[in-house]
């Protein structure tokens, strides 16, 4: 999968997301408070760079259009799902040496604020695409080649471990139709969506852009998240 890794690296370089970008108030609370002015380099200022178009039809969308689930795009010997579980869970135990996560705890779940136990085979933890694959499909990804879609589906920037029930309620919603019930995470959630859409050149609807501005107006200094950072 070295070709997909190279595609991802090139996309990140174009989008301007790199290690160290999230040196602002990454844990800043908010998502609906008094709006402050956009700060240069902030997630709020980046919203202005997103192209606005209508949502295209979902025609032709299939999960398989983004490649097989959880492949090893970074050539570390582990599938992407286990990479994200290792990154986001605490007290991780492995089934083998270092890849297959057998158990762990998702502390302070981003979507609910609760602790969620992960046990392989009966998990209550999902790995969520912050920008849903079908949402991406309707906002530009239908025109991508397969390598770019594979890179997108396995990009840690767009993946976080979350409570499974909350993730199912989200479905393929964008910022205009769904936000995490955990209001303390909404700024970080929307900032991550902005970063992903900026890196990959995905467009947003008018309502989505307005929702992004409304949420990020409560945390105007929050910077775009780095790919290498945690959730």
């Amino acid at each position: 999968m070295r070709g997909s890794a190279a595609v991802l690296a090139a996309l990140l370089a174009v989008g301007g997301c790199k290690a160290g970008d999230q040196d602002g108030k990454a844990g800043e609370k908010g998502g609906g408070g008094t709006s402050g002015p956009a700060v240069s380099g902030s997630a709020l200022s980046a919203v202005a760079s997103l192209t606005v178009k209508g949502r295209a039809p979902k025609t032709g969308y299939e999960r398989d259009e983004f490649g097989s689930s959880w492949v090893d795009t970074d050539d570390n010997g582990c599938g992407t799902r286990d990479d994200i579980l290792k990154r986001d869970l605490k007290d991780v135990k492995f089934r083998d040496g270092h890849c297959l996560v057998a158990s762990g705890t998702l502390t302070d779940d981003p979507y609910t604020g609760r602790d969620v136990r992960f046990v392989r085979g009966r998990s209550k933890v999902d790995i969520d695409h912050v920008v849903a694959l079908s949402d991406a499909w309707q906002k530009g990804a239908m025109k991508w080649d397969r390598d770019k879609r594979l890179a997108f589906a396995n990009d840690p920037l767009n993946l976080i471990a979350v409570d499974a029930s909350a993730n199912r309620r989200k479905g393929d919603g964008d910022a205009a139709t769904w936000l995490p019930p955990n209001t303390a995470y909404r700024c970080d959630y929307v900032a991550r969506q902005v970063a992903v859409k900026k890196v990959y050149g995905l467009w947003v609807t008018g309502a989505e852009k307005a929702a992004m501005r409304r949420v990020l107006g409560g945390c105007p200094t929050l910077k775009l998240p780095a790919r290498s950072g945690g959730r």
Side-chain angles (χ1 to χ4, degrees):
M1 295 297 174
R2 294 183 186 278
S4 297
V7 169
L8 177 56
L11 289 166
L12 290 166
V14 171
C17 286
K18 56 186 183 300
D21 278 353
Q22 194 169 344
D23 56 3
K25 300 178 181 177
E28 196 164 351
K29 308 294 190 251
T34 303
S35 177
V39 175
S40 179
S42 68
L44 179 57
S45 67
V47 175
S49 69
L50 300 179
T51 300
V52 175
K53 292 185 184 180
R55 182 186 291 272
K58 199 173 178 179
T59 306
Y61 170 74
E62 298 287 347
R63 173 61 179 84
D64 289 349
E65 292 292 335
F66 289 82
S68 300
S69 300
W70 313 132
V71 295
D72 178 16
T73 55
D74 61 2
D75 298 319
N76 71 346
C78 304
T80 303
R81 180 172 184 262
D82 284 294
D83 283 340
I84 301 304
L85 289 171
K86 287 189 289 184
R87 186 193 71 185
D88 290 354
L89 300 184
K90 305 296 184 184
D91 301 320
V92 172
K93 302 289 191 296
F94 295 96
R95 180 175 292 178
D96 64 353
H98 69 285
C99 275
L100 294 179
V101 176
S103 64
T105 301
L106 179 63
T107 59
D108 192 19
D109 163 51
Y111 289 175
T112 66
R114 300 191 298 262
D115 289 355
V116 185
R117 183 67 178 162
F118 171 84
V119 178
R120 200 175 197 93
R122 45 194 173 93
S123 175
K124 296 181 180 179
V125 174
D126 279 353
I127 304 302
D128 183 37
H129 290 94
V130 177
V131 174
L133 300 184
S134 58
D135 180 68
W137 180 265
Q138 297 173 81
K139 295 171 183 175
M142 80 290 286
K143 298 178 181 178
W144 296 349
D145 62 31
R146 195 169 183 82
D147 280 349
K148 186 173 179 179
R149 287 199 290 263
L150 183 68
F152 178 84
N154 291 275
D155 187 347
L157 178 66
N158 192 34
L159 297 170
I160 53 173
V162 298
D163 174 78
S165 59
N167 186 42
R168 311 297 163 78
R169 289 192 292 271
K170 169 190 172 179
D172 62 357
D174 60 24
T177 59
W178 189 88
L179 291 170
N182 179 18
T183 56
Y185 187 70
R186 287 181 178 177
C187 277
D188 293 296
Y189 175 78
V190 173
R192 190 169 290 269
Q193 287 192 328
V194 173
V196 170
K197 294 207 165 186
K198 180 177 174 64
V199 166
Y200 285 90
L202 294 167
W203 69 74
V204 294
T205 65
E208 182 182 4
K209 193 168 192 175
M212 287 174 163
R213 282 176 168 156
R214 183 170 60 252
V215 171
L216 295 173
C219 43
T221 64
L222 181 66
K223 291 193 174 183
L224 292 178
R227 176 179 175 250
S228 60
R231 68 175 191 239

